[in-house]
Amino acid sequence: MTSSGTTSSDTTPPGAASDAIATVAASADVLRHPEAGEHLLTAGEKERAARFRHESGRVDFVAAHVLVRLCAADLLGVPATALTLAQHCPDCGKADHGKPYLPDHPAVSVSLSHTRGVVAAAAGHRPIGVDVELTDRGGTLLDVAPRVLAPEELRQVREHADPARAFLRLWVRKEALIKIGRTSLDGLAAVDLSALPLDLPGGRPLLSGFEGLHLLDWTDRAHGAAVAAVCGAVPRAVELGALRGPTG
C-alpha cells in the first residue's frame, strides 16, 4: 500500500451524532462506570479472564470487553446489558480469540485494545479498528521498526526529534489498520503512511485520510497513551463519562 493522505484537526462538536466513536480510559475507571460490571461478560469471557496469572492482566481484559460494550450501547442507544460480544479467528476458526463482533447486530463493527492499565474501544456502522499503547513503550517497540516500517517511514522516524514517539504513532495507526482488516503483521512494511504527519498539531486530535479510510489520532495525556482509530466513517473520540446508553 502507498499512502495518499489528507489531514485536518478534528473539530467534531462534543456530543454530536456520529457513525463511529472511540474512547480510551484507565481500566479501573471503566470498571467504576455505572453501567459496567463483569455481569456483562459471557461465560466464555469470564473463563478467559480467569486464566490470567496476574490480576492486572485480568482487570485490563475485563475492562476492554466492558468498554467495547459501552461504546456499542452508546452508538445503538441500547443498554449495555442487551449486547452480546463474540470473537472469531478466521485462521483457526476458534471463538476464544480473534476479531470481536456483535452477533445480534451484524451491521455494527466493534474493536478493542488494551495495554498496561489502559484500554480503548470503538464502535461504528462501518468497519472500525482501534489501538492503544503506552507512550513509554515507544523505546522498546522501536527495535522492530526496520521490520514493520516502509523505507520512507523509517527515514522519517530516524530523523525525528523523538524517534520513539514518532514510531509509536505509526505503530498504533498500523495496528488499527490490522484490526480493520487492511493489513496483517506480516504486511506492515508494505503499508506506507509517510504522507501523514507524525506530530499532532497543538496536541489536538488529528483526522487524516488514507485510501478511502478516516484515521483519527490522539494522545491521552492523562494516561500516557497514544491512540489511533480507523474507519470508513469519520470516527469521533468521546470521553468515558459520555457513554450513557439509551438514557445518556
Side-chain angles (χ1 to χ4, degrees):
M1 293 183 185
T2 57
S3 178
S4 55
T6 57
T7 63
S8 66
S9 295
D10 178 42
T11 56
T12 306
S18 178
D19 286 331
I21 59 173
T23 190
V24 61
S27 300
D29 290 341
V30 172
L31 298 182
R32 284 194 289 265
H33 187 280
E35 293 186 45
E38 295 193 30
H39 64 282
L40 296 176
L41 305 186
T42 63
E45 287 172 301
K46 291 176 181 177
E47 181 182 344
R48 290 171 62 195
R51 296 179 197 159
F52 282 86
R53 293 181 59 187
H54 301 290
E55 176 64 9
S56 59
R58 191 192 73 82
V59 168
D60 293 337
F61 174 91
V62 171
H65 284 243
V66 167
L67 184 59
V68 75
R69 285 171 164 87
L70 296 179
C71 282
D74 186 86
L75 185 80
L76 292 166
V78 301
T81 52
L83 299 176
T84 299
L85 185 72
Q87 288 181 261
H88 173 74
C89 176
D91 296 324
C92 69
K94 292 185 178 180
D96 62 351
H97 62 283
K99 183 174 176 58
Y101 66 100
L102 303 175
D104 298 328
H105 299 275
V108 173
S109 175
V110 293
S111 181
L112 59 88
S113 178
H114 53 88
T115 186
R116 190 177 66 250
V118 181
V119 295
H125 291 294
R126 300 184 67 179
I128 193 167
V130 69
D131 190 60
V132 61
E133 295 287 352
L134 297 180
T135 51
D136 64 8
R137 286 200 67 202
T140 302
L141 291 172
L142 191 57
D143 293 340
V144 304
R147 300 199 300 272
V148 301
L149 298 185
E152 180 59 18
E153 292 174 328
L154 186 58
R155 183 193 66 79
Q156 291 178 349
V157 166
R158 286 172 170 168
E159 294 180 359
H160 195 275
D162 187 344
R165 179 167 57 84
F167 174 73
L168 193 65
R169 181 56 57 194
L170 286 168
W171 179 259
V172 293
R173 289 170 175 172
K174 293 194 176 197
E175 282 283 322
L177 286 168
I178 290 176
K179 303 282 184 68
I180 206 174
R182 279 296 185 98
T183 188
S184 64
L185 281 173
D186 293 335
L188 289 180
V191 178
D192 186 353
L193 303 176
S194 61
L196 307 182
L198 289 176
D199 299 306
L200 309 186
R204 297 166 57 194
L206 178 72
L207 184 63
S208 305
F210 175 72
E211 297 189 349
L213 297 172
H214 300 281
L215 180 64
L216 183 66
D217 287 290
W218 74 102
T219 299
D220 186 327
R221 287 189 170 82
H223 306 112
V227 195
V230 62
C231 187
V234 177
R236 180 169 58 90
V238 298
E239 297 291 334
L240 173 64
L243 302 176
R244 294 294 180 183
T247 60

Short mmCIF file of all heavy atoms in Angstrom, two decimals, residues 3 5-11 22-24 129-133 153 165-177 193-210 213-221 225-231 233-238:
data_model
loop_
_atom_site.label_atom_id
_atom_site.label_comp_id
_atom_site.label_asym_id
_atom_site.label_seq_id
_atom_site.Cartn_x
_atom_site.Cartn_y
_atom_site.Cartn_z
N SER A 3 0.69 5.56 0.65
CA SER A 3 -0.13 6.50 1.40
C SER A 3 -0.54 7.66 0.52
O SER A 3 0.25 8.22 -0.20
CB SER A 3 0.65 7.01 2.61
OG SER A 3 -0.12 7.95 3.30
N GLY A 5 -2.70 10.65 1.78
CA GLY A 5 -3.50 11.12 2.90
C GLY A 5 -3.77 12.60 2.89
O GLY A 5 -3.01 13.38 2.34
N THR A 6 -4.87 12.96 3.51
CA THR A 6 -5.17 14.35 3.80
C THR A 6 -5.37 14.45 5.30
O THR A 6 -5.75 13.49 5.95
CB THR A 6 -6.46 14.80 3.09
OG1 THR A 6 -7.54 13.93 3.48
CG2 THR A 6 -6.29 14.71 1.58
N THR A 7 -5.08 15.60 5.87
CA THR A 7 -5.16 15.74 7.31
C THR A 7 -5.90 17.01 7.70
O THR A 7 -5.98 17.98 6.96
CB THR A 7 -3.76 15.79 7.94
OG1 THR A 7 -3.08 16.96 7.45
CG2 THR A 7 -2.96 14.57 7.58
N SER A 8 -6.44 16.99 8.91
CA SER A 8 -7.07 18.18 9.49
C SER A 8 -7.20 17.95 10.97
O SER A 8 -7.16 16.81 11.44
CB SER A 8 -8.46 18.41 8.88
OG SER A 8 -9.35 17.38 9.24
N SER A 9 -7.35 19.02 11.74
CA SER A 9 -7.64 18.86 13.16
C SER A 9 -9.07 18.40 13.30
O SER A 9 -9.95 18.82 12.55
CB SER A 9 -7.44 20.19 13.90
OG SER A 9 -6.09 20.57 13.85
N ASP A 10 -9.32 17.50 14.23
CA ASP A 10 -10.68 17.01 14.45
C ASP A 10 -11.49 18.07 15.17
O ASP A 10 -11.21 18.42 16.30
CB ASP A 10 -10.65 15.73 15.27
CG ASP A 10 -12.04 15.21 15.55
OD1 ASP A 10 -12.86 15.24 14.64
OD2 ASP A 10 -12.29 14.80 16.69
N THR A 11 -12.53 18.56 14.49
CA THR A 11 -13.34 19.64 15.07
C THR A 11 -14.78 19.21 15.28
O THR A 11 -15.67 20.04 15.35
CB THR A 11 -13.30 20.88 14.16
OG1 THR A 11 -13.74 20.50 12.84
CG2 THR A 11 -11.90 21.45 14.06
N ALA A 22 -14.95 6.29 19.38
CA ALA A 22 -13.86 5.56 20.04
C ALA A 22 -13.54 6.25 21.35
O ALA A 22 -13.72 7.47 21.49
CB ALA A 22 -12.62 5.54 19.14
N THR A 23 -13.08 5.49 22.31
CA THR A 23 -12.73 6.07 23.61
C THR A 23 -11.57 5.32 24.22
O THR A 23 -11.31 4.16 23.88
CB THR A 23 -13.94 6.06 24.56
OG1 THR A 23 -13.66 6.84 25.71
CG2 THR A 23 -14.29 4.64 24.98
N VAL A 24 -10.87 5.99 25.12
CA VAL A 24 -9.76 5.39 25.85
C VAL A 24 -9.90 5.79 27.31
O VAL A 24 -10.36 6.90 27.62
CB VAL A 24 -8.40 5.85 25.27
CG1 VAL A 24 -8.23 7.34 25.36
CG2 VAL A 24 -7.25 5.14 25.96
N GLY A 129 -11.41 0.00 13.53
CA GLY A 129 -10.33 -0.60 14.30
C GLY A 129 -9.72 0.43 15.22
O GLY A 129 -9.66 1.61 14.88
N VAL A 130 -9.26 0.01 16.39
CA VAL A 130 -8.67 0.93 17.35
C VAL A 130 -7.46 0.26 18.00
O VAL A 130 -7.43 -0.97 18.16
CB VAL A 130 -9.70 1.36 18.43
CG1 VAL A 130 -10.05 0.20 19.35
CG2 VAL A 130 -9.19 2.55 19.24
N ASP A 131 -6.46 1.07 18.35
CA ASP A 131 -5.31 0.55 19.08
C ASP A 131 -4.82 1.58 20.07
O ASP A 131 -4.90 2.79 19.82
CB ASP A 131 -4.17 0.18 18.13
CG ASP A 131 -3.08 -0.61 18.85
OD1 ASP A 131 -3.39 -1.68 19.39
OD2 ASP A 131 -1.93 -0.15 18.89
N VAL A 132 -4.31 1.12 21.20
CA VAL A 132 -3.74 2.00 22.22
C VAL A 132 -2.44 1.40 22.72
O VAL A 132 -2.32 0.18 22.87
CB VAL A 132 -4.74 2.20 23.40
CG1 VAL A 132 -5.07 0.89 24.09
CG2 VAL A 132 -4.18 3.21 24.40
N GLU A 133 -1.45 2.26 22.94
CA GLU A 133 -0.17 1.85 23.50
C GLU A 133 0.30 2.92 24.48
O GLU A 133 0.09 4.11 24.26
CB GLU A 133 0.90 1.67 22.41
CG GLU A 133 0.63 0.55 21.43
CD GLU A 133 0.83 -0.84 22.01
OE1 GLU A 133 1.33 -0.94 23.15
OE2 GLU A 133 0.49 -1.81 21.32
N GLU A 153 8.98 5.80 5.84
CA GLU A 153 8.57 5.91 7.24
C GLU A 153 9.78 5.76 8.15
O GLU A 153 9.94 6.52 9.12
CB GLU A 153 7.55 4.83 7.59
CG GLU A 153 6.21 4.97 6.91
CD GLU A 153 5.31 3.80 7.20
OE1 GLU A 153 5.82 2.66 7.37
OE2 GLU A 153 4.09 3.99 7.27
N ARG A 165 8.70 8.29 20.02
CA ARG A 165 7.32 8.80 19.95
C ARG A 165 6.80 8.74 18.51
O ARG A 165 5.64 8.40 18.28
CB ARG A 165 7.26 10.23 20.48
CG ARG A 165 5.87 10.84 20.42
CD ARG A 165 5.79 12.12 21.25
NE ARG A 165 6.76 13.11 20.84
CZ ARG A 165 6.57 13.97 19.83
NH1 ARG A 165 5.43 13.93 19.14
NH2 ARG A 165 7.48 14.86 19.53
N ALA A 166 7.66 9.08 17.55
CA ALA A 166 7.25 9.05 16.15
C ALA A 166 6.89 7.63 15.72
O ALA A 166 5.89 7.39 15.04
CB ALA A 166 8.36 9.60 15.27
N PHE A 167 7.72 6.67 16.14
CA PHE A 167 7.43 5.28 15.78
C PHE A 167 6.13 4.80 16.43
O PHE A 167 5.34 4.11 15.79
CB PHE A 167 8.58 4.36 16.21
CG PHE A 167 8.25 2.91 16.00
CD1 PHE A 167 8.23 2.38 14.73
CD2 PHE A 167 7.89 2.10 17.07
CE1 PHE A 167 7.88 1.04 14.52
CE2 PHE A 167 7.56 0.77 16.87
CZ PHE A 167 7.56 0.25 15.59
N LEU A 168 5.90 5.18 17.66
CA LEU A 168 4.69 4.75 18.34
C LEU A 168 3.44 5.24 17.62
O LEU A 168 2.44 4.53 17.53
CB LEU A 168 4.69 5.25 19.79
CG LEU A 168 3.63 4.61 20.70
CD1 LEU A 168 3.90 3.13 20.88
CD2 LEU A 168 3.62 5.32 22.05
N ARG A 169 3.50 6.47 17.08
CA ARG A 169 2.36 6.99 16.34
C ARG A 169 2.09 6.12 15.12
O ARG A 169 0.93 5.78 14.82
CB ARG A 169 2.65 8.44 15.92
CG ARG A 169 1.51 9.12 15.16
CD ARG A 169 0.20 9.10 15.91
NE ARG A 169 0.29 9.71 17.22
CZ ARG A 169 -0.63 9.59 18.16
NH1 ARG A 169 -1.70 8.84 17.95
NH2 ARG A 169 -0.49 10.17 19.33
N LEU A 170 3.12 5.73 14.40
CA LEU A 170 2.94 4.85 13.24
C LEU A 170 2.45 3.47 13.67
O LEU A 170 1.62 2.85 13.00
CB LEU A 170 4.25 4.73 12.47
CG LEU A 170 4.67 5.94 11.65
CD1 LEU A 170 6.11 5.80 11.17
CD2 LEU A 170 3.73 6.13 10.45
N TRP A 171 2.98 3.00 14.78
CA TRP A 171 2.63 1.66 15.26
C TRP A 171 1.14 1.55 15.57
O TRP A 171 0.48 0.59 15.16
CB TRP A 171 3.45 1.33 16.50
CG TRP A 171 3.14 -0.01 17.09
CD1 TRP A 171 2.36 -0.28 18.17
CD2 TRP A 171 3.60 -1.29 16.61
NE1 TRP A 171 2.31 -1.63 18.42
CE2 TRP A 171 3.07 -2.28 17.47
CE3 TRP A 171 4.42 -1.68 15.55
CZ2 TRP A 171 3.32 -3.64 17.30
CZ3 TRP A 171 4.67 -3.05 15.38
CH2 TRP A 171 4.12 -3.99 16.24
N VAL A 172 0.56 2.52 16.30
CA VAL A 172 -0.87 2.43 16.64
C VAL A 172 -1.73 2.57 15.40
O VAL A 172 -2.79 1.95 15.28
CB VAL A 172 -1.28 3.45 17.73
CG1 VAL A 172 -0.62 3.11 19.06
CG2 VAL A 172 -0.99 4.88 17.33
N ARG A 173 -1.28 3.39 14.44
CA ARG A 173 -2.03 3.50 13.19
C ARG A 173 -2.06 2.16 12.46
O ARG A 173 -3.10 1.72 11.97
CB ARG A 173 -1.38 4.55 12.28
CG ARG A 173 -1.54 5.99 12.75
CD ARG A 173 -0.66 6.93 11.94
NE ARG A 173 -0.90 8.33 12.30
CZ ARG A 173 -0.16 9.34 11.86
NH1 ARG A 173 0.86 9.12 11.04
NH2 ARG A 173 -0.44 10.58 12.23
N LYS A 174 -0.91 1.52 12.38
CA LYS A 174 -0.84 0.26 11.65
C LYS A 174 -1.59 -0.86 12.38
O LYS A 174 -2.23 -1.71 11.75
CB LYS A 174 0.62 -0.12 11.40
CG LYS A 174 1.32 0.84 10.45
CD LYS A 174 2.63 0.30 9.93
CE LYS A 174 3.22 1.25 8.90
NZ LYS A 174 4.28 0.62 8.08
N GLU A 175 -1.53 -0.85 13.70
CA GLU A 175 -2.28 -1.85 14.46
C GLU A 175 -3.79 -1.66 14.24
O GLU A 175 -4.54 -2.64 14.14
CB GLU A 175 -1.95 -1.73 15.95
CG GLU A 175 -0.62 -2.35 16.33
CD GLU A 175 -0.69 -3.86 16.41
OE1 GLU A 175 -1.71 -4.40 16.86
OE2 GLU A 175 0.28 -4.51 15.99
N ALA A 176 -4.24 -0.40 14.16
CA ALA A 176 -5.65 -0.14 13.90
C ALA A 176 -6.04 -0.64 12.51
O ALA A 176 -7.15 -1.16 12.30
CB ALA A 176 -5.95 1.35 14.03
N LEU A 177 -5.13 -0.50 11.54
CA LEU A 177 -5.39 -1.00 10.19
C LEU A 177 -5.47 -2.52 10.17
O LEU A 177 -6.24 -3.10 9.40
CB LEU A 177 -4.30 -0.51 9.23
CG LEU A 177 -4.38 0.97 8.84
CD1 LEU A 177 -3.09 1.40 8.14
CD2 LEU A 177 -5.59 1.24 7.95
N LEU A 193 2.58 4.99 5.39
CA LEU A 193 1.82 6.12 5.94
C LEU A 193 2.68 7.38 6.02
O LEU A 193 2.37 8.30 6.77
CB LEU A 193 1.30 5.76 7.34
CG LEU A 193 0.43 4.51 7.45
CD1 LEU A 193 0.07 4.24 8.90
CD2 LEU A 193 -0.83 4.65 6.62
N SER A 194 3.74 7.44 5.24
CA SER A 194 4.69 8.54 5.35
C SER A 194 4.11 9.89 4.93
O SER A 194 4.68 10.93 5.25
CB SER A 194 5.95 8.24 4.53
OG SER A 194 5.64 8.08 3.16
N ALA A 195 2.98 9.89 4.22
CA ALA A 195 2.36 11.15 3.83
C ALA A 195 1.60 11.81 4.98
O ALA A 195 1.20 12.98 4.87
CB ALA A 195 1.41 10.93 2.65
N LEU A 196 1.41 11.08 6.07
CA LEU A 196 0.66 11.61 7.21
C LEU A 196 1.62 12.18 8.24
O LEU A 196 2.72 11.67 8.45
CB LEU A 196 -0.18 10.50 7.85
CG LEU A 196 -1.12 9.74 6.91
CD1 LEU A 196 -1.91 8.71 7.70
CD2 LEU A 196 -2.04 10.68 6.17
N PRO A 197 1.22 13.25 8.93
CA PRO A 197 2.09 13.86 9.95
C PRO A 197 2.36 12.90 11.11
O PRO A 197 1.51 12.10 11.48
CB PRO A 197 1.27 15.07 10.44
CG PRO A 197 0.24 15.31 9.39
CD PRO A 197 -0.06 13.98 8.79
N LEU A 198 3.55 13.02 11.67
CA LEU A 198 3.90 12.23 12.85
C LEU A 198 3.60 12.99 14.14
O LEU A 198 3.61 12.40 15.21
CB LEU A 198 5.38 11.86 12.82
CG LEU A 198 5.77 10.81 11.77
CD1 LEU A 198 7.28 10.60 11.78
CD2 LEU A 198 5.05 9.51 12.02
N ASP A 199 3.34 14.29 14.03
CA ASP A 199 3.06 15.11 15.21
C ASP A 199 1.63 15.62 15.15
O ASP A 199 1.12 15.98 14.07
CB ASP A 199 4.03 16.28 15.28
CG ASP A 199 5.47 15.83 15.40
OD1 ASP A 199 5.76 15.05 16.33
OD2 ASP A 199 6.30 16.23 14.56
N LEU A 200 0.97 15.67 16.29
CA LEU A 200 -0.39 16.17 16.38
C LEU A 200 -0.35 17.67 16.65
O LEU A 200 0.28 18.11 17.61
CB LEU A 200 -1.15 15.46 17.50
CG LEU A 200 -1.10 13.93 17.48
CD1 LEU A 200 -2.03 13.37 18.55
CD2 LEU A 200 -1.47 13.39 16.11
N PRO A 201 -1.00 18.48 15.82
CA PRO A 201 -0.92 19.94 15.96
C PRO A 201 -1.51 20.42 17.28
O PRO A 201 -2.68 20.18 17.57
CB PRO A 201 -1.74 20.46 14.77
CG PRO A 201 -2.65 19.32 14.41
CD PRO A 201 -1.88 18.08 14.72
N GLY A 202 -0.67 21.05 18.10
CA GLY A 202 -1.14 21.56 19.37
C GLY A 202 -1.62 20.49 20.32
O GLY A 202 -2.35 20.77 21.28
N GLY A 203 -1.24 19.25 20.06
CA GLY A 203 -1.69 18.16 20.92
C GLY A 203 -3.14 17.77 20.72
O GLY A 203 -3.68 16.94 21.45
N ARG A 204 -3.79 18.35 19.70
CA ARG A 204 -5.21 18.06 19.44
C ARG A 204 -5.36 16.81 18.59
O ARG A 204 -4.42 16.40 17.89
CB ARG A 204 -5.85 19.25 18.72
CG ARG A 204 -5.85 20.54 19.53
CD ARG A 204 -6.17 21.73 18.65
NE ARG A 204 -7.45 21.58 17.96
CZ ARG A 204 -7.83 22.34 16.94
NH1 ARG A 204 -7.02 23.28 16.47
NH2 ARG A 204 -9.00 22.17 16.37
N PRO A 205 -6.52 16.16 18.61
CA PRO A 205 -6.74 15.01 17.75
C PRO A 205 -6.53 15.39 16.28
O PRO A 205 -6.85 16.51 15.86
CB PRO A 205 -8.21 14.63 18.01
CG PRO A 205 -8.47 15.13 19.39
CD PRO A 205 -7.67 16.41 19.51
N LEU A 206 -5.97 14.48 15.53
CA LEU A 206 -5.67 14.71 14.12
C LEU A 206 -6.47 13.74 13.27
O LEU A 206 -6.41 12.53 13.47
CB LEU A 206 -4.18 14.52 13.86
CG LEU A 206 -3.72 14.69 12.41
CD1 LEU A 206 -3.78 16.17 12.02
CD2 LEU A 206 -2.31 14.14 12.22
N LEU A 207 -7.23 14.27 12.32
CA LEU A 207 -8.02 13.46 11.41
C LEU A 207 -7.32 13.42 10.06
O LEU A 207 -7.05 14.45 9.46
CB LEU A 207 -9.43 14.03 11.26
CG LEU A 207 -10.41 13.22 10.40
CD1 LEU A 207 -10.66 11.84 11.01
CD2 LEU A 207 -11.72 13.98 10.22
N SER A 208 -7.02 12.22 9.60
CA SER A 208 -6.32 12.04 8.33
C SER A 208 -7.11 11.12 7.41
O SER A 208 -7.98 10.37 7.86
CB SER A 208 -4.94 11.42 8.56
OG SER A 208 -4.18 12.17 9.48
N GLY A 209 -6.78 11.18 6.12
CA GLY A 209 -7.39 10.29 5.16
C GLY A 209 -6.34 9.34 4.61
O GLY A 209 -5.21 9.75 4.31
N PHE A 210 -6.71 8.07 4.47
CA PHE A 210 -5.79 7.08 3.92
C PHE A 210 -6.58 6.05 3.13
O PHE A 210 -7.35 5.28 3.68
CB PHE A 210 -5.01 6.38 5.05
CG PHE A 210 -4.12 5.26 4.58
CD1 PHE A 210 -2.96 5.53 3.87
CD2 PHE A 210 -4.47 3.95 4.82
CE1 PHE A 210 -2.16 4.50 3.41
CE2 PHE A 210 -3.67 2.91 4.38
CZ PHE A 210 -2.50 3.18 3.67
N LEU A 213 -10.16 5.62 3.86
CA LEU A 213 -10.47 5.48 5.27
C LEU A 213 -10.22 6.78 6.02
O LEU A 213 -9.44 7.63 5.56
CB LEU A 213 -9.61 4.37 5.89
CG LEU A 213 -9.82 2.96 5.35
CD1 LEU A 213 -8.75 2.03 5.91
CD2 LEU A 213 -11.22 2.44 5.68
N HIS A 214 -10.87 6.93 7.17
CA HIS A 214 -10.65 8.07 8.05
C HIS A 214 -9.85 7.59 9.26
O HIS A 214 -10.25 6.63 9.93
CB HIS A 214 -11.98 8.67 8.50
CG HIS A 214 -12.83 9.16 7.37
ND1 HIS A 214 -12.62 10.36 6.75
CD2 HIS A 214 -13.88 8.56 6.74
CE1 HIS A 214 -13.52 10.51 5.78
NE2 HIS A 214 -14.29 9.44 5.76
N LEU A 215 -8.74 8.24 9.51
CA LEU A 215 -7.84 7.85 10.59
C LEU A 215 -7.78 8.97 11.62
O LEU A 215 -7.40 10.10 11.31
CB LEU A 215 -6.45 7.58 10.03
CG LEU A 215 -5.36 7.14 11.00
CD1 LEU A 215 -5.71 5.79 11.61
CD2 LEU A 215 -4.01 7.05 10.28
N LEU A 216 -8.16 8.66 12.86
CA LEU A 216 -8.14 9.64 13.94
C LEU A 216 -7.04 9.27 14.94
O LEU A 216 -7.04 8.17 15.49
CB LEU A 216 -9.49 9.70 14.66
CG LEU A 216 -9.62 10.75 15.77
CD1 LEU A 216 -9.55 12.16 15.18
CD2 LEU A 216 -10.92 10.57 16.54
N ASP A 217 -6.11 10.21 15.14
CA ASP A 217 -5.02 10.02 16.10
C ASP A 217 -5.21 10.98 17.27
O ASP A 217 -5.57 12.14 17.06
CB ASP A 217 -3.67 10.37 15.46
CG ASP A 217 -3.20 9.34 14.47
OD1 ASP A 217 -2.85 8.24 14.91
OD2 ASP A 217 -3.18 9.64 13.27
N TRP A 218 -4.94 10.51 18.46
CA TRP A 218 -4.87 11.44 19.58
C TRP A 218 -3.99 10.87 20.67
O TRP A 218 -3.64 9.69 20.67
CB TRP A 218 -6.26 11.82 20.10
CG TRP A 218 -7.04 10.84 20.89
CD1 TRP A 218 -7.21 10.81 22.24
CD2 TRP A 218 -7.86 9.75 20.40
NE1 TRP A 218 -8.04 9.80 22.62
CE2 TRP A 218 -8.46 9.13 21.52
CE3 TRP A 218 -8.12 9.25 19.11
CZ2 TRP A 218 -9.31 8.04 21.38
CZ3 TRP A 218 -8.96 8.15 18.98
CH2 TRP A 218 -9.54 7.57 20.11
N THR A 219 -3.60 11.74 21.59
CA THR A 219 -2.79 11.33 22.74
C THR A 219 -3.59 11.56 24.00
O THR A 219 -4.13 12.64 24.21
CB THR A 219 -1.48 12.14 22.80
OG1 THR A 219 -0.72 11.88 21.62
CG2 THR A 219 -0.66 11.73 24.02
N ASP A 220 -3.71 10.52 24.80
CA ASP A 220 -4.39 10.63 26.09
C ASP A 220 -3.32 10.91 27.13
O ASP A 220 -2.69 10.00 27.67
CB ASP A 220 -5.13 9.34 26.39
CG ASP A 220 -5.99 9.43 27.65
OD1 ASP A 220 -5.58 10.15 28.57
OD2 ASP A 220 -7.04 8.78 27.70
N ARG A 221 -3.09 12.18 27.40
CA ARG A 221 -2.02 12.57 28.31
C ARG A 221 -2.29 12.12 29.74
O ARG A 221 -1.36 11.83 30.50
CB ARG A 221 -1.80 14.08 28.26
CG ARG A 221 -1.12 14.54 26.98
CD ARG A 221 -0.73 16.02 27.04
NE ARG A 221 0.12 16.39 25.93
CZ ARG A 221 -0.32 16.69 24.73
NH1 ARG A 221 -1.63 16.68 24.49
NH2 ARG A 221 0.51 17.01 23.74
N ALA A 225 -0.90 7.65 26.93
CA ALA A 225 -1.17 6.66 25.88
C ALA A 225 -1.37 7.33 24.52
O ALA A 225 -1.91 8.43 24.41
CB ALA A 225 -2.42 5.85 26.24
N ALA A 226 -0.92 6.64 23.49
CA ALA A 226 -1.16 7.03 22.11
C ALA A 226 -2.28 6.16 21.56
O ALA A 226 -2.29 4.94 21.78
CB ALA A 226 0.10 6.85 21.28
N VAL A 227 -3.22 6.78 20.85
CA VAL A 227 -4.41 6.08 20.37
C VAL A 227 -4.61 6.37 18.89
O VAL A 227 -4.36 7.48 18.43
CB VAL A 227 -5.67 6.50 21.14
CG1 VAL A 227 -6.81 5.51 20.90
CG2 VAL A 227 -5.39 6.67 22.62
N ALA A 228 -5.09 5.38 18.16
CA ALA A 228 -5.48 5.59 16.76
C ALA A 228 -6.75 4.78 16.49
O ALA A 228 -6.88 3.65 16.95
CB ALA A 228 -4.38 5.16 15.81
N ALA A 229 -7.67 5.40 15.76
CA ALA A 229 -8.90 4.71 15.33
C ALA A 229 -9.05 4.93 13.84
O ALA A 229 -8.84 6.04 13.34
CB ALA A 229 -10.11 5.25 16.08
N VAL A 230 -9.42 3.88 13.11
CA VAL A 230 -9.58 3.99 11.67
C VAL A 230 -10.93 3.40 11.28
O VAL A 230 -11.37 2.38 11.83
CB VAL A 230 -8.42 3.27 10.93
CG1 VAL A 230 -8.40 1.79 11.26
CG2 VAL A 230 -8.51 3.48 9.44
N CYS A 231 -11.61 4.07 10.35
CA CYS A 231 -12.96 3.65 9.99
C CYS A 231 -13.33 4.21 8.62
O CYS A 231 -12.77 5.21 8.16
CB CYS A 231 -13.95 4.16 11.04
SG CYS A 231 -15.66 3.54 10.83
N ALA A 233 -16.20 5.53 8.15
CA ALA A 233 -16.87 6.76 8.56
C ALA A 233 -15.91 7.56 9.43
O ALA A 233 -14.90 7.03 9.91
CB ALA A 233 -18.14 6.44 9.34
N VAL A 234 -16.19 8.84 9.63
CA VAL A 234 -15.31 9.68 10.45
C VAL A 234 -15.50 9.31 11.92
O VAL A 234 -16.57 9.48 12.49
CB VAL A 234 -15.63 11.17 10.26
CG1 VAL A 234 -14.75 12.02 11.17
CG2 VAL A 234 -15.41 11.57 8.81
N PRO A 235 -14.45 8.78 12.56
CA PRO A 235 -14.57 8.43 13.98
C PRO A 235 -14.47 9.65 14.87
O PRO A 235 -13.78 10.61 14.55
CB PRO A 235 -13.39 7.47 14.22
CG PRO A 235 -12.39 7.87 13.19
CD PRO A 235 -13.14 8.43 12.02
N ARG A 236 -15.17 9.61 15.99
CA ARG A 236 -15.15 10.71 16.95
C ARG A 236 -14.67 10.18 18.30
O ARG A 236 -15.16 9.16 18.77
CB ARG A 236 -16.54 11.32 17.09
CG ARG A 236 -16.64 12.48 18.08
CD ARG A 236 -17.99 13.17 17.95
NE ARG A 236 -19.11 12.28 18.18
CZ ARG A 236 -19.67 12.06 19.37
NH1 ARG A 236 -19.18 12.65 20.45
NH2 ARG A 236 -20.70 11.26 19.50
N ALA A 237 -13.70 10.86 18.88
CA ALA A 237 -13.22 10.49 20.21
C ALA A 237 -14.19 11.00 21.25
O ALA A 237 -14.58 12.18 21.24
CB ALA A 237 -11.83 11.07 20.45
N VAL A 238 -14.61 10.13 22.17
CA VAL A 238 -15.55 10.51 23.22
C VAL A 238 -14.95 10.16 24.58
O VAL A 238 -14.10 9.27 24.69
CB VAL A 238 -16.92 9.82 23.05
CG1 VAL A 238 -17.57 10.22 21.75
CG2 VAL A 238 -16.78 8.30 23.12
#
